[in-house]
Amino acid sequence: MKMMECDEESPFDIILSPEQDRWLQATTQVKRLVIGSNRQKADAVQHGILPRLLEWLIDESVPQELRTEAAVVLGSLAWGTEENIQHLVNAGAVPVLLRGLSNTSLAHVEACLRCLRTVFMAPNPPVNLIYQDATIIPHLLNIISRTAQTKEAIANILANCCTCLEHQNTLCKTGAISALAPLLTDGTLYKIQMPVLKCFAAMCYQNPDVCAAVASATFNGVSVPQLIGKLQCRDKTSEMQMASAKCLTFLHRGGAISAKDRIIVLETLPTLVRMCKKDRTLDENVEGAETLSYLIQEDQELQKITSVCDHSMKALAEYLTYTDIQQLDSRQTQKKAVNWGNALRTAAFQAFAAIGANDEEIRKKIIAIDNLIESVVAGMNSDDLKVQVAACRCLHSLSRSVQQIRTTFQDHAVWKPLVKLMQSHSDDVLKIASSTMCNLLLDFSPSKEDILECGAIDILTKLCAKEDEPPLRLNGVWGLMNLAFNSEQKVKMEIVEKLGSELLFVLLSERDPEILMRTLGLLRNLLSKKQHIDNIMMTHGTQVLQAIKCILEADYHSADIKEQTLCVVANIADGPQARMSILRNDGVMKQMIACMQAYGQSNLQIASLYGILNFINGEDADSFERFRILREKGVYNLLQKLMHSKNPHVYERAKHALNQFPST
Amino acid sequence: MATGTTSPSTETLNSNSLDPSDPLKQLYPAVNEDDTPLPRSWSPKDKFNFIGLSLNNLRVHYKGVGKSHNHKDAASVRATHPIPAACGIYYFEVRIISKGRDGYMGIGLSTQGVNMNKLPGWDKYSYGYHGDDGNAFCSSNPGIPYGPTFTTGDVIGCCVNLIDNTCFYTKNGINLGIAFSDLPPNLYPTVGLQTPGEVVEANFGQTPFVFNIEEYMKEWHMKTRMTIERFPVSDRRGEWQQALQRMVSTYLIHHGYCSTAEAFCKATTQPIDEDITSIKHRQRIQKLVLAGRMGEAIELTQQLYPGLLERNPNLLFMLKCRQFVEMVNGSDSEVRGPNSRSPRSQHSSGGTGSSRSSPNLSPAHNLSANASSSAGPHILHYQSQRPGSGSNSPNRAGGKHSRSSTPTSSSSSSHHSQQQHLSDNMHSNEDVKNAANAGSPQSSSDRYAMNGSGSVYIEGEENMDLSDGAVEDGLVTNGNYNPPPPCMNGNSHNLEAGDAEDMDVEGSGKQLCGGNRTAIEKMLQYGRELQSMSQHLRRQFGHSDTNKKAIQDAFSLLAYPDPWNSPVGFQLQSVQREPVCAALNSAILESQGLPKQPPLKLAIAQATQCMKLMAKSGIGACAFASVADYLH
């Protein structure tokens, strides 16, 4: 402001002075001063006028004109740097502005909303302030339809204030859906439709209840998903198509729209595939591929369609060859450098993981992509955590193919980076890496030996001990189970040793059925050859039997788990030495006999008969003793009863067992 | 400002005789089927003899023996016509009714003359997607892996993009991606079968498609529009802007929007080639013509431009014919009595103050008439209005087309739309004014966002500062546009519109020459003079169909008891004054050594013609570059 005279008072001083009649003029002057100049805005904040402006906003005795002008200035200041916004928030502007929304003057309400919108569109907005007072959201929804300005501002505020389940439910219950639905229609301005779409996406994300409510809502007889779907038409901007497709993706994953629905198969999916094309911006490429992965993750048919849709695989493969490392985010809001190479690789790996999740033919196509497996290996070796996880996820998806494990995986020694990832401190990395490792430890996997040599048992037992991470425990046990299958005594002993009786007992006491199931599987694999059985039971027999008894006695375990437990018992019963420890264990025997009489559940009957048969088999010195105990426990009589079973498997086994009994 | 208006539907209507019951016409509105018919069925002539057709030549079955298990069994059929380039995007679908023995089916395209004893794709200029292996065959055998295989129950679509000359297929509504590029022109939809039992059925657009082709078209429509709108124009020296401003100013001057033109030229420092008084003169004459006061108009023309009509006897004859019509109508001053004379009385005040008025001419009708190339029954009515329009210059395009008149059936409604348009115009003027001056910050920024059709939307920053700016004292300092000139045509429009309506009440209760007996006599006398003038003209300049038709039409009004509701009654509509007005205006301008057409109109006519040439030359983009889209 060169025009200003030197002796003229600065408007800031007037604002801070008690000269009431000059305030309005000075405020207007400040408003003109700060337009379009971040330096001037910062300067104004520096002069300490924020508290004064806020004071006026609260003070009802201050003339309305001045109060509105103050709100306008605040809005203008917020439009400066993030720092300015932080100053505003720190000065307590948000609650004051929220209160200003109850003002009778529309101009005042709009000025407050403009400022709030800017604050909430900045990174890390003070979201909780919106929910602090239960009347705020209803009020916002109440006034949203007043003018284009209120629509735009409130839609933006809501879109940025829905960050958790609680927010989603609150908005939904307060009637946000019916308030926002009219703003999706044709006549609405683009800059209102966009935040409304974002708001719907934020509300629907992983929230089946809200999804169901959105899917069943209508406006003027048109369902909300249809209204959203219209905005992904191909003559809309990419940005809008993307936002619309995202909403519909979330609605599908939230269970509200079927994968067979036209709007998903023929509209949303192709839209997202289009976003992966070269003619879109990099951030659309990334977002498109990520959203696409999420859309098709759970549905085999969608995965199949994606694999043939508009050369999607070719487009995604090109992501892997992107070399320009740094570039500004094209979205204006966040001007930070993004490593596009990594972002694109991450998105592509995720997408390949999703597309190839269930279909061997598609996996073959993925593997056939030039340098795909090299890229995956490089990705796992990357120092970017997200790339590591995504690359590993892709490898995991491909590792469901027996053929790939036997060929490509071994050729490229994918186990090397995998073992390296297992040293990671990130649970995200560990989760997916250990899952992948489980597959590579399968009996037919040539990598099994290599991984074993790299200390797989150590790594896996450590995972088993991760108390607060059930998925990691599961993968640890699973890996050990695969490793123990058909393995040498040395390996088995090492597993038992490393695991220790205590941890084994802990795992067997697990309430999580998945983990328990795998632990029992591990036990079965460990207790597989007569000699191995006896050796293991010698050292850990007490704990194992104790745990088995507990599982069989417990009423909260499913039949599947009990069946698996009975199989473990049967395995133990195959050990020449070990079998006596069961026969002498009243608790376990009692449960076995009970299971033989579980008439509704033939699988339990069969499993326990399998154990009984193992007791009977073998011409050892103690066979007489064994038959004596079995008779004593009433097993003989029971077997005779089972001869009447209608289940042929039960009948056959009972008959076979009875035949073995020496006649008395 | 009163821009020329052609409703898009009018254009498609004229060039296409759009039939709402024909889905193909709606799908490909830019195609003129008189020149380039659309494929609507398979050709019973252009097929190999192993092919059988049924169900109106839409269903294809294999009737060969198919024993030899080799390529000699293959048989193809082409559609009746090649795909017209003006489709822009062309699409057809084929449903596999039965895969027959081996399902060796090929769906694709080929040019005329390609061997039909082959599946599409095996030969040069032949392209196909085959069901048995999912391969794409691009003038070669074997093909390359392309998509999934297809079989009984699947619907395979084939889309030809005539803008970038590519082709993609769809399977059950899913786009399988580009299969071929660099396609030659004039391809025919083609299918081929090879083993017994194979049956397929085509849908050329008569029934809804599985794939949403309209969506794909929309995208290309938008892309084409963007290409046009973002066409790079280097304007370092401001020549481009100047040219545009010149377009506007010449247009305003041509049509006599005097004060607007003055204000515009002042704001943009454009020169005005014509004397202001001359513009006002033309304005006055035009007003008279549009009010139906032909006698006065002729008189004033003779007074202001002596010798003009004498040098253009055909023009004078046209004016006189019109005068006769207006006499029948009861609007000409000869039959209206002295009170209605003196158009000056309608001006707010004499001298300089009267500069605000402007003619009621809406060029809308000239433009819409431009587009109508199909000859309607009344096409020759005003042929004489453009003397010397037979040259081959670009003028011709405009001149030629503006001859044809609007078909009777639509002219009354278009008259209404014209009035509607005028009032719309006023609204929009006022809106702009509001946005500029009234200090409503949203309205200005919102308007941009809305017009931006998505891709051009206001960024937050701009918006914010704009609204900040607008709030203060209602003065936009950093807005994107120059405020329109403060002088509006609005008021005078209003006046004229009312005026016109007043004189123009249609329907029953109308009487010949306003029911005045003396007037009828005058009219009959005038008719006799006209008759002798016609004879005189013929003797002097030879026979003229135009003149003959004009006088016949005019006279035939008297053959009906109620001329207004007669087959020739359209002549009495005030909208018919416009071509006369335009012809007179052009003649005056020409006599002053000025262009008889404004450059804007020339540009539009040239662009329209260019689209037609593009369609003929196989440039598909013409499908989505309708000039009408730009004439709101």
Side-chain angles (χ1 to χ4, degrees):
Chain A
M1 289 272 113
K2 288 170 206 156
M3 312 274 282
M4 249 197 295
E5 302 280 325
C6 292
D7 54 342
E8 209 175 296
E9 242 178 307
S10 109
F12 303 122
D13 293 338
I14 301 172
I15 287 176
L16 296 172
S17 79
E19 292 175 81
Q20 292 192 18
D21 46 344
R22 296 180 65 194
W23 282 345
L24 182 61
Q25 204 197 346
T27 311
T28 308
Q29 210 177 337
V30 168
K31 185 181 72 183
R32 289 180 189 164
L33 202 59
V34 300
I35 289 175
S37 160
N38 280 349
R39 195 179 52 80
Q40 294 284 11
K41 290 184 210 277
D43 195 38
V45 173
Q46 286 294 309
H47 272 86
I49 60 165
L50 288 184
R52 192 53 174 262
L53 295 176
L54 292 173
E55 197 180 296
W56 291 341
L57 275 180
I58 300 168
D59 190 348
E60 288 182 14
S61 67
V62 170
Q64 182 58 53
E65 205 184 348
L66 177 57
R67 295 172 72 196
T68 304
E69 197 72 342
V72 171
V73 171
L74 287 174
S76 186
L77 293 177
W79 203 261
T81 57
E82 277 176 38
E83 242 170 79
N84 284 354
I85 292 180
Q86 205 49 53
H87 282 299
L88 274 171
V89 174
N90 292 345
V94 174
V96 173
L97 290 163
L98 285 171
R99 264 210 265 166
L101 301 183
S102 309
N103 196 294
T104 46
S105 150
L106 187 59
H108 187 86
V109 170
E110 286 182 341
C112 291
L113 278 175
R114 265 206 301 277
C115 184
L116 284 168
R117 175 203 58 181
T118 315
V119 169
F120 280 96
M121 283 173 80
N124 305 316
V127 173
N128 289 331
L129 294 175
I130 291 279
Y131 296 93
Q132 233 164 28
D133 178 345
T135 62
I136 293 172
I137 299 276
H139 184 63
L140 285 175
L141 294 175
N142 207 20
I143 61 172
I144 189 166
S145 59
R146 289 247 183 107
T147 64
Q149 186 91 161
T150 58
K151 287 175 190 169
E152 190 255 355
I154 293 174
N156 268 309
I157 293 169
L158 295 180
N160 286 289
C161 282
C162 185
T163 55
C164 64
L165 190 79
E166 208 183 310
H167 297 164
Q168 291 171 331
N169 291 337
T170 308
L171 284 174
C172 186
K173 270 181 225 148
T174 325
I177 297 171
S178 55
L180 292 172
L183 305 185
L184 291 166
T185 50
D186 263 350
T188 314
L189 300 178
Y190 180 85
K191 62 174 186 172
I192 297 172
Q193 284 175 330
M194 276 309 290
V196 168
L197 280 176
K198 283 180 186 155
C199 197
F200 271 111
M203 282 168 64
C204 291
Y205 184 59
Q206 295 190 328
N207 190 326
D209 294 337
V210 174
C211 284
V214 169
S216 59
T218 57
F219 176 70
N220 273 352
V222 186
S223 80
V224 170
Q226 295 294 335
L227 289 172
I228 293 173
K230 278 185 190 159
L231 300 182
Q232 70 179 349
C233 283
R234 296 178 80 155
D235 56 352
K236 305 283 178 195
T237 63
S238 276
E239 207 184 1
M240 182 170 269
Q241 292 180 30
M242 183 75 235
S244 161
K246 219 170 182 171
C247 285
L248 293 164
T249 297
F250 293 167
L251 282 168
H252 163 60
R253 289 301 305 276
I257 307 179
S258 146
K260 290 189 178 64
D261 198 311
R262 221 193 123 83
I263 205 169
I264 297 295
V265 192
L266 295 184
E267 290 170 29
T268 307
L269 191 153
T271 300
L272 290 171
V273 170
R274 265 198 323 273
M275 293 299 143
C276 300
K277 294 281 187 169
K278 249 189 175 165
D279 57 355
R280 311 285 160 159
T281 62
L282 293 179
D283 50 54
E284 278 159 358
N285 284 166
V286 170
E287 207 178 352
E290 282 174 349
T291 313
L292 180 65
S293 319
Y294 186 64
L295 176 77
I296 65 173
Q297 216 161 40
E298 301 291 328
D299 191 276
Q300 207 169 334
E301 192 53 33
L302 291 183
Q303 290 161 8
K304 253 191 194 163
I305 291 171
T306 307
S307 75
V308 298
C309 183
D310 204 2
H311 303 311
S312 63
M313 310 257 274
K314 254 184 226 163
L316 290 167
E318 283 181 24
Y319 285 27
L320 302 176
T321 60
Y322 190 83
T323 46
D324 293 346
I325 304 290
Q326 300 264 326
Q327 202 179 315
L328 280 181
D329 193 320
S330 64
R331 282 170 290 199
Q332 282 218 325
T333 43
Q334 293 163 325
K335 283 189 175 146
K336 55 184 180 195
V338 173
N339 184 329
W340 286 110
N342 282 352
L344 285 165
R345 275 200 290 169
T346 306
F349 287 143
Q350 275 175 16
F352 284 133
I355 298 172
N358 292 299
D359 191 298
E360 185 65 24
E361 285 306 308
I362 299 177
R363 278 186 215 121
K364 272 187 201 160
K365 277 205 229 167
I366 296 175
I367 287 280
I369 291 169
D370 274 351
N371 284 321
L372 186 273
I373 204 78
E374 287 87 348
S375 298
V376 170
V377 169
M380 293 204 297
N381 284 323
S382 156
D383 41 16
D384 184 316
L385 211 68
K386 281 185 183 159
V387 180
Q388 287 178 3
V389 172
C392 201
R393 186 156 288 151
C394 184
L395 187 71
H396 175 250
S397 186
L398 297 172
S399 74
R400 290 182 185 163
S401 155
V402 176
Q403 195 196 346
Q404 299 312 331
I405 286 184
R406 281 190 174 148
T407 56
T408 323
F409 279 26
Q410 191 56 18
D411 297 345
H412 289 85
V414 297
W415 57 270
K416 280 185 191 163
L418 191 61
V419 169
K420 209 177 104 193
L421 285 187
M422 290 303 296
Q423 319 293 327
S424 171
H425 296 290
S426 154
D427 282 346
D428 286 336
V429 175
L430 283 179
K431 263 177 225 169
I432 188 67
S434 54
S435 275
T436 315
M437 191 180 247
C438 288
N439 289 348
L440 288 183
L441 287 174
L442 284 165
D443 191 40
F444 53 78
S445 164
S447 312
K448 184 175 175 178
E449 288 305 317
D450 296 316
I451 300 176
L452 196 56
E453 271 170 36
C454 291
I457 297 174
D458 265 329
I459 296 169
L460 293 170
T461 45
K462 257 184 226 152
L463 290 184
C464 294
K466 291 246 179 190
E467 269 179 49
D468 42 0
E469 281 291 339
L472 289 181
R473 279 210 304 282
L474 175 66
N475 287 346
V477 177
W478 202 320
L480 289 174
M481 180 184 89
N482 288 353
L483 200 54
F485 182 77
N486 260 348
S487 58
E488 303 160 26
Q489 164 124 347
K490 197 184 92 200
V491 175
K492 287 185 183 172
M493 287 316 285
E494 197 187 339
I495 293 175
V496 173
E497 223 168 88
K498 293 262 166 70
L499 208 53
S501 4
E502 208 171 312
L503 187 50
L504 190 60
F505 188 77
V506 170
L507 289 171
L508 283 169
S509 320
E510 185 72 57
R511 290 288 285 270
D512 183 329
E514 278 262 24
I515 299 178
L516 182 55
M517 202 68 171
R518 299 304 151 198
T519 311
L520 292 167
L522 167 63
L523 266 183
R524 280 184 71 182
N525 288 350
L526 286 172
L527 302 166
S528 61
K529 287 179 192 146
K530 289 188 185 353
Q531 190 56 43
H532 302 174
I533 298 168
D534 284 351
N535 284 344
I536 293 167
M537 286 307 284
M538 218 144 63
T539 43
H540 298 87
T542 331
Q543 283 88 350
V544 169
L545 287 180
Q546 176 61 29
I548 284 173
K549 191 178 138 239
C550 289
I551 296 169
L552 290 175
E553 279 172 357
D555 49 7
Y556 46 78
H557 284 308
S558 67
D560 287 344
I561 283 178
K562 292 198 174 172
E563 182 190 7
Q564 193 71 355
T565 314
L566 289 168
C567 289
V568 173
V569 172
N571 277 20
I572 298 171
D574 196 34
Q577 311 283 316
R579 56 172 63 142
M580 286 311 286
S581 61
I582 300 181
L583 282 171
R584 296 208 176 95
N585 187 321
D586 285 342
V588 175
M589 282 309 290
K590 204 173 138 192
Q591 288 302 320
M592 268 185 87
I593 287 160
C595 286
M596 282 172 75
Q597 304 174 71
Y599 288 106
Q601 297 163 295
S602 52
N603 59 337
L604 289 187
Q605 288 180 303
I606 293 166
S608 43
L609 280 170
Y610 171 44
I612 299 294
L613 277 167
N614 276 352
F615 283 134
I616 294 166
N617 281 338
E619 294 293 322
D620 302 348
D622 55 3
S623 62
F624 178 76
E625 173 68 2
R626 279 184 276 139
F627 285 117
R628 191 191 61 76
I629 295 175
L630 287 176
R631 273 182 206 278
E632 188 188 290
K633 303 271 182 197
V635 172
Y636 186 79
N637 294 340
L638 205 49
L639 286 171
Q640 283 179 319
K641 268 193 208 164
L642 289 180
M643 290 292 287
H644 303 292
S645 170
K646 279 173 190 150
N647 185 315
H649 298 285
V650 176
Y651 166 80
E652 279 298 325
R653 274 154 220 260
K655 189 178 157 193
H656 185 64
L658 277 175
N659 286 344
Q660 308 281 314
F661 268 84
S663 48
T664 42
Chain B
M1 323 287 116
T3 47
T5 299
T6 295
S7 68
S9 62
T10 320
E11 187 178 36
T12 40
L13 183 98
N14 286 330
S15 61
N16 250 334
S17 53
L18 188 80
D19 176 6
S21 65
D22 184 355
L24 262 82
K25 292 273 186 209
Q26 295 190 324
L27 203 54
Y28 311 113
V31 174
N32 181 353
E33 283 212 86
D34 298 335
D35 296 340
T36 51
L38 286 160
R40 286 169 183 268
S41 64
W42 300 114
S43 165
K45 291 170 196 151
D46 197 6
K47 67 178 183 67
F48 195 66
N49 50 14
F50 289 169
I51 289 288
L53 298 178
S54 58
L55 296 179
N56 297 322
N57 292 338
L58 289 175
R59 188 172 273 207
V60 184
H61 64 269
Y62 186 78
K63 59 178 189 184
V65 189
K67 240 187 207 168
S68 54
H69 287 275
N70 71 26
H71 292 165
K72 282 178 188 163
D73 297 329
S76 289
V77 57
R78 268 188 283 271
T80 48
H81 298 98
I83 299 164
C87 291
I89 304 286
Y90 181 79
Y91 185 72
F92 70 99
E93 278 180 354
V94 173
R95 181 182 292 277
I96 314 302
I97 305 298
S98 167
K99 77 172 190 77
R101 194 182 71 201
D102 297 327
Y104 290 158
M105 301 158 294
I107 291 162
L109 309 157
S110 62
T111 52
Q112 185 65 265
V114 170
N115 186 353
M116 295 313 258
N117 189 12
K118 300 274 181 79
L119 288 188
W122 287 349
D123 275 350
K124 199 159 165 47
Y125 299 126
S126 174
Y127 306 84
Y129 165 37
H130 292 192
D132 56 316
D133 53 10
N135 284 357
F137 293 73
C138 178
S139 303
S140 71
N141 193 5
I144 48 157
Y146 167 65
T149 58
F150 57 86
T151 183
T152 307
D154 285 329
V155 175
I156 303 302
C158 176
C159 177
V160 181
N161 183 328
L162 295 134
I163 300 166
D164 64 2
N165 297 315
T166 58
C167 160
F168 70 82
Y169 287 91
T170 67
K171 180 183 170 183
N172 300 326
I174 295 291
N175 179 347
L176 302 177
I178 303 269
F180 313 116
S181 44
D182 301 317
L183 290 173
N186 294 319
L187 287 165
Y188 290 71
T190 308
V191 291
L193 307 173
Q194 199 180 320
T195 66
E198 290 170 2
V199 185
V200 300
E201 191 176 316
N203 173 10
F204 291 107
Q206 289 96 339
T207 53
F209 290 124
V210 178
F211 178 71
N212 193 342
I213 190 66
E214 285 94 344
E215 273 284 290
Y216 183 73
M217 286 175 160
K218 270 189 203 167
E219 185 175 318
W220 277 91
H221 203 153
M222 189 191 71
K223 279 184 185 171
T224 312
R225 211 184 67 213
M226 287 300 154
T227 312
I228 296 168
E229 286 170 11
R230 291 177 184 168
F231 186 79
V233 182
S234 71
D235 192 24
R236 257 181 239 139
R237 271 174 271 162
E239 287 155 346
W240 176 251
Q241 197 192 7
Q242 233 172 29
L244 289 179
Q245 287 170 346
R246 186 89 187 130
M247 285 266 212
V248 175
S249 67
T250 48
Y251 177 84
L252 292 172
I253 293 165
H254 181 94
H255 288 291
Y257 294 108
C258 190
S259 51
T260 311
E262 260 185 302
F264 182 83
C265 292
K266 202 176 158 193
T268 56
T269 64
Q270 288 280 326
I272 300 184
D273 297 337
E274 195 182 353
D275 191 32
I276 293 292
T277 37
S278 162
I279 302 175
K280 281 178 193 154
H281 286 159
R282 285 193 290 113
Q283 205 176 44
R284 276 169 64 197
I285 295 168
Q286 289 188 68
K287 274 191 63 133
L288 287 169
V289 175
L290 291 172
R293 300 179 188 174
M294 290 307 300
E296 286 166 88
I298 294 168
E299 209 174 293
L300 189 62
T301 309
Q302 278 162 340
Q303 180 195 327
L304 294 170
Y305 302 96
L308 171 74
L309 294 176
E310 286 74 7
R311 284 192 300 276
N312 290 297
N314 282 327
L315 175 65
L316 179 63
F317 185 70
M318 174 170 75
L319 295 178
K320 292 207 167 205
C321 283
R322 184 70 212 171
Q323 186 177 5
F324 181 81
V325 173
E326 295 298 354
M327 285 172 119
V328 174
N329 219 358
S331 28
D332 191 77
S333 33
E334 288 294 323
V335 297
R336 269 191 113 195
N339 283 348
S340 61
R341 273 190 89 95
S342 168
R344 253 172 233 116
S345 64
Q346 286 180 17
H347 289 219
S348 50
S349 65
T352 50
S354 69
S355 66
R356 294 212 164 208
S357 62
S358 50
N360 192 20
L361 171 76
S362 156
H365 279 277
N366 287 331
L367 289 175
S368 69
N370 269 348
S372 61
S373 59
S374 66
H378 311 295
I379 186 160
L380 293 171
H381 268 293
Y382 297 108
Q383 205 161 27
S384 62
Q385 72 175 284
R386 297 213 177 272
S389 72
S391 75
N392 231 342
S393 72
N395 289 8
R396 192 185 174 203
K400 190 175 95 190
H401 292 296
S402 53
R403 261 184 243 149
S404 49
S405 72
T406 333
T408 321
S409 56
S410 68
S411 51
S412 106
S413 69
S414 32
H415 172 64
H416 286 297
S417 77
Q418 173 216 349
Q419 301 229 341
Q420 179 65 43
H421 168 69
L422 282 173
S423 60
D424 278 354
N425 235 354
M426 281 185 282
H427 278 303
S428 62
N429 280 346
E430 272 157 31
D431 277 357
V432 173
K433 193 162 126 197
N434 282 344
N437 301 329
S440 151
Q442 297 82 40
S443 66
S444 58
S445 52
D446 289 351
R447 199 164 304 281
Y448 280 120
M450 194 153 55
N451 290 340
S453 78
S455 56
V456 193
Y457 47 90
I458 284 275
E459 291 298 337
E461 181 108 31
E462 221 175 323
N463 163 31
M464 188 60 203
D465 275 344
L466 187 68
S467 35
D468 273 357
V471 169
E472 41 176 38
D473 309 343
L475 265 173
V476 180
T477 45
N478 48 359
N480 284 342
Y481 51 84
N482 303 319
C487 219
M488 295 279 172
N489 291 317
N491 288 337
S492 45
H493 266 316
N494 236 342
L495 246 175
E496 313 268 20
D499 210 11
E501 258 168 46
D502 175 36
M503 287 180 260
D504 209 44
V505 190
E506 284 170 40
S508 61
K510 280 200 169 184
Q511 286 181 303
L512 215 58
C513 303
N516 185 327
R517 193 169 285 274
T518 345
I520 294 178
E521 273 163 23
K522 267 188 187 174
M523 182 260 290
L524 292 173
Q525 173 58 32
Y526 189 81
R528 282 190 283 275
E529 284 168 21
L530 201 57
Q531 177 75 32
S532 74
M533 182 182 179
S534 164
Q535 285 158 356
H536 179 73
L537 276 176
R538 196 171 60 208
R539 275 197 300 275
Q540 204 169 351
F541 303 101
H543 178 77
S544 158
D545 280 339
T546 323
N547 288 350
K548 193 180 169 194
K549 178 111 175 69
I551 196 167
Q552 270 178 6
D553 277 342
F555 285 175
S556 55
L557 282 169
L558 299 182
Y560 298 91
D562 181 359
W564 286 270
N565 289 318
S566 72
V568 291
F570 68 92
Q571 296 180 85
L572 295 164
Q573 288 160 354
S574 63
V575 70
Q576 301 296 340
R577 292 168 186 158
E578 293 180 7
V580 182
C581 180
L584 180 54
N585 191 33
S586 292
I588 296 172
L589 284 165
E590 221 178 1
S591 75
Q592 307 291 297
L594 294 163
K596 60 175 181 171
Q597 292 218 42
L600 178 62
K601 201 174 154 190
L602 264 183
I604 290 168
Q606 283 168 348
T608 308
Q609 196 62 13
C610 176
M611 290 303 124
K612 286 180 185 159
L613 283 174
M614 281 171 78
K616 274 190 190 134
S617 319
I619 302 169
C622 64
F624 304 121
S626 166
V627 177
D629 287 357
Y630 289 88
L631 309 174
H632 301 293

